[in-house]
Amino acid sequence: MSDGLGTDDFGAGVQRHGRNLLPFAYLATFGFILLFFGVVSLMGKARDGDPSVSLVISPEATAAASDAKVPVTPAAERKVNSYLVADPALLDATADGLLPKIGADGRKPRDAYAGAWSATDTRPRVALVIRDLGVGAGETSVALSNLPAGVTLGFAPYAEDLQGWIDKARGAGHEVLLELPMEPLDFPNSDPGPRALLVGATPDENAKRMAWAMGRATGYVGFANLMGSRFLGEAGAMDPVFKTLAARGLMFFDDGASPRSLSANQARDHDVPLAASSLTIDDVQAMAPIDGKLAVLEQ
Protein backbone atom coordinates (compact mmCIF):
# COMPACT_ATOMS: atom_id res chain seq x y z
CA MET A 1 0.00 0.00 0.00
CA SER A 2 1.33 3.46 -0.71
CA ASP A 3 0.92 4.59 2.94
CA GLY A 4 3.11 1.75 4.21
CA LEU A 5 0.30 -0.35 5.76
CA GLY A 6 0.27 -4.10 5.13
CA THR A 7 -2.88 -6.03 4.36
CA ASP A 8 -3.38 -7.12 7.99
CA ASP A 9 -2.75 -3.61 9.28
CA PHE A 10 -5.26 -2.20 6.78
CA GLY A 11 -8.01 -4.65 7.87
CA ALA A 12 -7.42 -3.86 11.52
CA GLY A 13 -7.67 -0.16 10.75
CA VAL A 14 -10.99 -0.65 9.01
CA GLN A 15 -12.34 -2.57 12.00
CA ARG A 16 -11.20 0.19 14.38
CA HIS A 17 -12.80 2.90 12.24
CA GLY A 18 -15.96 0.82 11.89
CA ARG A 19 -16.27 0.55 15.67
CA ASN A 20 -15.72 4.28 15.99
CA LEU A 21 -18.36 5.09 13.35
CA LEU A 22 -20.98 2.66 14.67
CA PRO A 23 -22.53 5.11 17.16
CA PHE A 24 -22.82 7.72 14.41
CA ALA A 25 -24.58 5.20 12.19
CA TYR A 26 -27.11 4.48 14.94
CA LEU A 27 -27.71 8.19 15.43
CA ALA A 28 -28.13 8.77 11.71
CA THR A 29 -30.61 5.91 11.40
CA PHE A 30 -32.60 7.12 14.42
CA GLY A 31 -32.62 10.65 13.01
CA PHE A 32 -33.90 9.40 9.66
CA ILE A 33 -36.76 7.55 11.38
CA LEU A 34 -37.75 10.68 13.30
CA LEU A 35 -37.62 12.73 10.09
CA PHE A 36 -39.79 10.17 8.28
CA PHE A 37 -42.51 10.21 10.93
CA GLY A 38 -42.35 13.98 11.12
CA VAL A 39 -43.00 14.28 7.39
CA VAL A 40 -45.87 11.78 7.61
CA SER A 41 -47.47 13.71 10.46
CA LEU A 42 -47.31 16.92 8.47
CA MET A 43 -48.38 15.58 5.09
CA GLY A 44 -50.75 12.79 6.14
CA LYS A 45 -51.15 9.26 4.92
CA ALA A 46 -51.79 8.47 1.29
CA ARG A 47 -55.33 7.41 2.18
CA ASP A 48 -56.16 10.65 3.98
CA GLY A 49 -58.46 13.17 2.31
CA ASP A 50 -61.88 12.81 0.75
CA PRO A 51 -63.55 9.42 1.19
CA SER A 52 -64.22 7.12 -1.73
CA VAL A 53 -67.73 6.28 -2.88
CA SER A 54 -68.06 3.85 0.03
CA LEU A 55 -68.80 5.85 3.17
CA VAL A 56 -66.79 4.55 6.14
CA ILE A 57 -68.11 5.67 9.52
CA SER A 58 -66.00 5.47 12.65
CA PRO A 59 -67.11 2.85 15.21
CA GLU A 60 -69.04 3.80 18.34
CA ALA A 61 -65.92 4.05 20.48
CA THR A 62 -64.32 6.51 18.06
CA ALA A 63 -67.48 8.58 17.78
CA ALA A 64 -67.51 9.07 21.55
CA ALA A 65 -64.50 11.36 21.16
CA SER A 66 -66.68 13.87 19.29
CA ASP A 67 -69.33 14.11 22.01
CA ALA A 68 -70.52 17.64 22.61
CA LYS A 69 -69.58 19.26 25.91
CA VAL A 70 -71.84 21.44 28.01
CA PRO A 71 -71.99 24.55 25.82
CA VAL A 72 -72.51 28.20 26.57
CA THR A 73 -75.55 29.73 24.95
CA PRO A 74 -74.46 32.71 22.81
CA ALA A 75 -75.30 36.06 24.33
CA ALA A 76 -76.64 37.40 21.05
CA GLU A 77 -77.83 36.16 17.68
CA ARG A 78 -75.06 34.76 15.52
CA LYS A 79 -75.32 35.42 11.80
CA VAL A 80 -73.18 34.69 8.77
CA ASN A 81 -73.60 37.21 5.95
CA SER A 82 -76.87 38.34 7.58
CA TYR A 83 -78.25 34.77 7.69
CA LEU A 84 -79.18 33.48 11.14
CA VAL A 85 -77.17 30.51 12.45
CA ALA A 86 -77.86 30.62 16.19
CA ASP A 87 -80.55 32.45 18.16
CA PRO A 88 -80.13 32.23 21.95
CA ALA A 89 -83.89 32.41 22.42
CA LEU A 90 -84.22 29.18 20.41
CA LEU A 91 -81.43 27.21 22.07
CA ASP A 92 -81.48 24.87 25.04
CA ALA A 93 -78.06 24.34 26.71
CA THR A 94 -77.70 20.66 27.64
CA ALA A 95 -74.94 18.12 28.21
CA ASP A 96 -75.52 17.03 24.58
CA GLY A 97 -74.93 20.49 23.17
CA LEU A 98 -77.15 23.39 22.19
CA LEU A 99 -80.46 21.75 21.26
CA PRO A 100 -83.17 23.60 19.33
CA LYS A 101 -86.26 24.67 21.22
CA ILE A 102 -89.43 26.69 20.66
CA GLY A 103 -88.95 30.24 21.90
CA ALA A 104 -90.95 31.81 24.70
CA ASP A 105 -92.72 33.90 22.05
CA GLY A 106 -93.70 30.79 20.08
CA ARG A 107 -91.07 31.13 17.36
CA LYS A 108 -89.81 27.82 15.99
CA PRO A 109 -86.31 26.92 14.73
CA ARG A 110 -87.81 25.59 11.47
CA ASP A 111 -89.09 29.11 10.75
CA ALA A 112 -86.14 31.09 12.09
CA TYR A 113 -83.57 29.19 9.98
CA ALA A 114 -85.78 28.70 6.91
CA GLY A 115 -84.67 29.66 3.43
CA ALA A 116 -85.91 32.93 1.98
CA TRP A 117 -89.23 32.86 0.12
CA SER A 118 -92.06 35.24 -0.74
CA ALA A 119 -95.61 34.54 0.37
CA THR A 120 -96.90 36.81 -2.39
CA ASP A 121 -95.26 34.73 -5.15
CA THR A 122 -97.99 32.26 -6.11
CA ARG A 123 -96.10 30.45 -8.86
CA PRO A 124 -95.59 26.69 -8.42
CA ARG A 125 -92.37 25.84 -6.63
CA VAL A 126 -89.73 23.20 -7.16
CA ALA A 127 -87.69 22.20 -4.11
CA LEU A 128 -84.31 20.52 -4.47
CA VAL A 129 -82.39 18.82 -1.65
CA ILE A 130 -78.76 17.72 -1.92
CA ARG A 131 -77.94 15.09 0.71
CA ASP A 132 -75.01 13.46 2.55
CA LEU A 133 -72.80 16.55 2.63
CA GLY A 134 -70.01 17.30 5.08
CA VAL A 135 -68.28 13.91 4.99
CA GLY A 136 -66.41 14.50 1.73
CA ALA A 137 -64.74 17.91 1.94
CA GLY A 138 -64.17 18.17 -1.82
CA GLU A 139 -67.74 17.41 -2.83
CA THR A 140 -69.16 19.66 -0.10
CA SER A 141 -66.97 22.57 -1.19
CA VAL A 142 -68.12 22.15 -4.80
CA ALA A 143 -71.77 22.11 -3.70
CA LEU A 144 -71.36 25.28 -1.64
CA SER A 145 -69.50 27.04 -4.45
CA ASN A 146 -71.84 26.16 -7.30
CA LEU A 147 -75.39 25.56 -6.10
CA PRO A 148 -77.87 28.46 -5.90
CA ALA A 149 -79.20 29.50 -2.51
CA GLY A 150 -82.62 27.99 -3.22
CA VAL A 151 -81.22 24.45 -2.97
CA THR A 152 -81.58 22.89 0.49
CA LEU A 153 -78.47 21.13 1.80
CA GLY A 154 -78.51 18.06 4.06
CA PHE A 155 -75.50 17.30 6.25
CA ALA A 156 -74.51 14.02 7.89
CA PRO A 157 -74.07 14.36 11.68
CA TYR A 158 -70.71 12.57 11.47
CA ALA A 159 -69.09 15.36 9.45
CA GLU A 160 -65.92 16.83 10.88
CA ASP A 161 -66.38 20.53 11.67
CA LEU A 162 -70.11 20.19 11.02
CA GLN A 163 -70.86 23.64 12.42
CA GLY A 164 -68.29 25.16 10.10
CA TRP A 165 -69.96 23.59 7.07
CA ILE A 166 -73.41 24.71 8.21
CA ASP A 167 -72.10 28.23 8.79
CA LYS A 168 -70.87 28.32 5.18
CA ALA A 169 -74.15 26.93 3.89
CA ARG A 170 -76.25 29.42 5.84
CA GLY A 171 -73.89 32.23 4.88
CA ALA A 172 -74.61 31.44 1.23
CA GLY A 173 -78.37 31.52 1.89
CA HIS A 174 -79.09 27.79 1.91
CA GLU A 175 -81.67 26.15 4.11
CA VAL A 176 -80.09 23.26 6.04
CA LEU A 177 -81.29 19.82 7.13
CA LEU A 178 -79.44 17.56 9.54
CA GLU A 179 -79.53 13.85 8.74
CA LEU A 180 -80.72 11.42 11.40
CA PRO A 181 -79.20 7.90 11.09
CA MET A 182 -81.89 5.20 11.23
CA GLU A 183 -81.94 1.41 11.00
CA PRO A 184 -82.37 -0.05 7.47
CA LEU A 185 -84.04 -3.37 6.67
CA ASP A 186 -80.73 -5.11 5.98
CA PHE A 187 -78.95 -3.85 9.10
CA PRO A 188 -76.11 -4.52 9.89
CA ASN A 189 -75.14 -5.32 6.28
CA SER A 190 -76.08 -1.73 5.55
CA ASP A 191 -74.89 0.37 8.48
CA PRO A 192 -76.02 3.98 9.00
CA GLY A 193 -73.14 4.48 11.44
CA PRO A 194 -72.71 4.88 15.17
CA ARG A 195 -75.58 6.28 17.25
CA ALA A 196 -78.19 5.27 14.68
CA LEU A 197 -81.77 4.97 15.90
CA LEU A 198 -82.64 1.26 16.17
CA VAL A 199 -86.00 -0.48 16.37
CA GLY A 200 -84.73 -2.77 19.14
CA ALA A 201 -83.31 0.05 21.27
CA THR A 202 -85.25 1.44 24.19
CA PRO A 203 -87.03 4.79 23.74
CA ASP A 204 -84.58 6.33 26.23
CA GLU A 205 -81.58 5.09 24.24
CA ASN A 206 -82.98 6.37 20.95
CA ALA A 207 -83.77 9.68 22.66
CA LYS A 208 -80.13 9.97 23.74
CA ARG A 209 -78.94 9.23 20.21
CA MET A 210 -81.31 11.80 18.75
CA ALA A 211 -80.15 14.38 21.31
CA TRP A 212 -76.54 13.70 20.29
CA ALA A 213 -77.42 14.42 16.66
CA MET A 214 -79.38 17.56 17.53
CA GLY A 215 -76.49 18.89 19.60
CA ARG A 216 -73.92 18.58 16.81
CA ALA A 217 -74.70 22.02 15.34
CA THR A 218 -77.18 24.88 15.16
CA GLY A 219 -78.91 26.57 12.24
CA TYR A 220 -80.94 23.70 10.75
CA VAL A 221 -84.69 23.52 10.17
CA GLY A 222 -85.15 19.83 10.90
CA PHE A 223 -84.08 16.28 10.14
CA ALA A 224 -83.87 14.08 7.08
CA ASN A 225 -83.64 10.32 7.35
CA LEU A 226 -80.24 8.71 6.78
CA MET A 227 -81.22 5.19 5.59
CA GLY A 228 -84.04 4.01 7.90
CA SER A 229 -86.08 1.69 5.65
CA ARG A 230 -86.94 -0.44 8.71
CA PHE A 231 -87.15 2.28 11.36
CA LEU A 232 -89.46 4.48 9.27
CA GLY A 233 -91.98 1.63 9.06
CA GLU A 234 -92.25 0.99 12.82
CA ALA A 235 -94.89 3.18 14.46
CA GLY A 236 -93.67 2.44 18.00
CA ALA A 237 -90.14 3.54 17.13
CA MET A 238 -91.20 6.57 15.08
CA ASP A 239 -93.69 8.02 17.57
CA PRO A 240 -91.10 9.33 20.09
CA VAL A 241 -89.07 10.84 17.25
CA PHE A 242 -91.99 12.89 15.97
CA LYS A 243 -92.97 13.90 19.49
CA THR A 244 -89.46 15.34 19.87
CA LEU A 245 -89.66 17.09 16.49
CA ALA A 246 -92.96 18.70 17.50
CA ALA A 247 -91.71 19.72 20.94
CA ARG A 248 -88.59 21.36 19.51
CA GLY A 249 -90.17 23.11 16.52
CA LEU A 250 -88.48 21.07 13.79
CA MET A 251 -89.65 19.60 10.46
CA PHE A 252 -88.92 16.25 8.81
CA PHE A 253 -87.80 15.36 5.29
CA ASP A 254 -88.46 11.82 4.05
CA ASP A 255 -86.30 10.84 1.08
CA GLY A 256 -89.14 8.67 -0.26
CA ALA A 257 -86.96 5.57 -0.65
CA SER A 258 -88.99 3.35 1.70
CA PRO A 259 -92.55 2.35 0.72
CA ARG A 260 -93.00 1.22 4.35
CA SER A 261 -92.51 4.72 5.73
CA LEU A 262 -95.10 5.96 8.22
CA SER A 263 -93.71 9.50 8.30
CA ALA A 264 -96.86 10.97 6.71
CA ASN A 265 -99.05 9.46 9.44
CA GLN A 266 -96.67 10.53 12.20
CA ALA A 267 -96.38 14.07 10.82
CA ARG A 268 -100.17 14.41 10.72
CA ASP A 269 -100.64 12.99 14.21
CA HIS A 270 -98.02 15.27 15.77
CA ASP A 271 -98.53 18.38 13.62
CA VAL A 272 -94.98 18.27 12.26
CA PRO A 273 -94.33 19.77 8.81
CA LEU A 274 -93.27 17.00 6.41
CA ALA A 275 -91.50 17.20 3.07
CA ALA A 276 -91.30 13.98 1.08
CA SER A 277 -89.19 13.38 -2.00
CA SER A 278 -91.27 12.79 -5.12
CA LEU A 279 -88.39 12.22 -7.54
CA THR A 280 -84.71 11.35 -7.36
CA ILE A 281 -83.04 13.42 -10.06
CA ASP A 282 -79.51 11.99 -9.93
CA ASP A 283 -80.02 8.22 -9.87
CA VAL A 284 -78.09 8.38 -13.16
CA GLN A 285 -75.30 10.86 -12.52
CA ALA A 286 -74.92 12.47 -15.92
CA MET A 287 -76.04 15.85 -17.21
CA ALA A 288 -78.59 14.73 -19.82
CA PRO A 289 -80.55 12.32 -17.54
CA ILE A 290 -80.57 14.90 -14.73
CA ASP A 291 -81.88 17.58 -17.09
CA GLY A 292 -84.59 15.14 -18.16
CA LYS A 293 -85.63 14.51 -14.56
CA LEU A 294 -85.73 18.25 -13.87
CA ALA A 295 -88.01 18.71 -16.88
CA VAL A 296 -90.35 16.02 -15.52
CA LEU A 297 -90.27 17.69 -12.10
CA GLU A 298 -91.24 21.03 -13.61
CA GLN A 299 -94.29 19.42 -15.26
Side-chain angles (χ1 to χ4, degrees):
M1 301 290 292
S2 60
D3 60 0
L5 290 175
T7 302
D8 292 340
D9 294 331
F10 179 74
V14 169
Q15 292 176 350
R16 285 196 304 275
H17 286 299
R19 287 194 298 269
N20 292 335
L21 291 174
L22 192 59
F24 295 100
Y26 284 140
L27 287 174
T29 302
F30 182 66
F32 175 78
I33 292 173
L34 287 179
L35 177 62
F36 173 77
F37 282 108
V39 170
V40 168
S41 66
L42 289 174
M43 299 184 65
K45 300 183 292 295
R47 291 177 294 180
D48 284 346
D50 295 343
S52 62
V53 175
S54 297
L55 179 63
V56 179
I57 301 296
S58 302
E60 188 85 24
T62 303
S66 64
D67 283 352
K69 306 302 181 184
V70 177
V72 177
T73 306
E77 291 183 349
R78 190 168 70 84
K79 296 182 178 182
V80 179
N81 296 335
S82 77
Y83 293 99
L84 185 65
V85 175
D87 184 339
L90 304 178
L91 293 172
D92 184 13
T94 75
D96 294 297
L98 293 172
L99 306 191
K101 71 174 184 180
I102 299 175
D105 57 358
R107 287 187 306 131
K108 298 177 175 63
R110 66 182 183 233
D111 298 322
Y113 306 123
W117 65 286
S118 172
T120 61
D121 187 345
T122 59
R123 294 176 298 172
R125 303 177 190 277
V126 168
L128 293 177
V129 180
I130 305 296
R131 304 280 307 280
D132 303 329
L133 295 173
V135 178
E139 293 86 346
T140 305
S141 295
V142 169
L144 289 171
S145 299
N146 292 280
L147 292 174
V151 176
T152 295
L153 304 182
F155 288 86
Y158 307 115
E160 186 177 355
D161 190 24
L162 178 60
Q163 188 64 67
W165 286 121
I166 291 179
D167 284 0
K168 291 177 181 179
R170 292 292 297 135
H174 295 282
E175 188 170 273
V176 170
L177 289 165
L178 195 58
E179 293 180 334
L180 187 61
M182 297 176 170
E183 181 180 350
L185 283 169
D186 59 345
F187 180 81
N189 291 331
S190 293
D191 189 354
R195 302 185 188 276
L197 274 59
L198 304 176
V199 171
T202 65
D204 285 345
E205 178 59 29
N206 278 335
K208 291 177 183 178
R209 295 180 176 207
M210 189 174 180
W212 173 83
M214 282 191 290
R216 296 283 287 141
T218 65
Y220 54 91
V221 296
F223 280 111
N225 60 296
L226 175 57
M227 298 192 186
S229 53
R230 183 184 181 197
F231 194 92
L232 288 169
E234 299 289 337
M238 287 281 285
D239 191 65
V241 172
F242 273 79
K243 284 182 179 178
T244 299
L245 293 173
R248 294 195 175 274
L250 301 173
M251 64 166 287
F252 189 75
F253 173 82
D254 189 326
D255 67 7
S258 175
R260 301 176 68 252
S261 177
L262 300 176
S263 62
N265 296 337
Q266 291 287 334
R268 181 184 62 249
D269 292 345
H270 296 287
D271 195 24
V272 171
L274 174 73
S277 176
S278 61
L279 184 67
T280 300
I281 66 168
D282 63 345
D283 45 0
V284 178
Q285 297 187 5
M287 184 177 295
I290 290 175
D291 283 344
K293 288 291 187 72
L294 288 173
V296 171
L297 188 59
E298 287 181 35
Q299 295 303 316

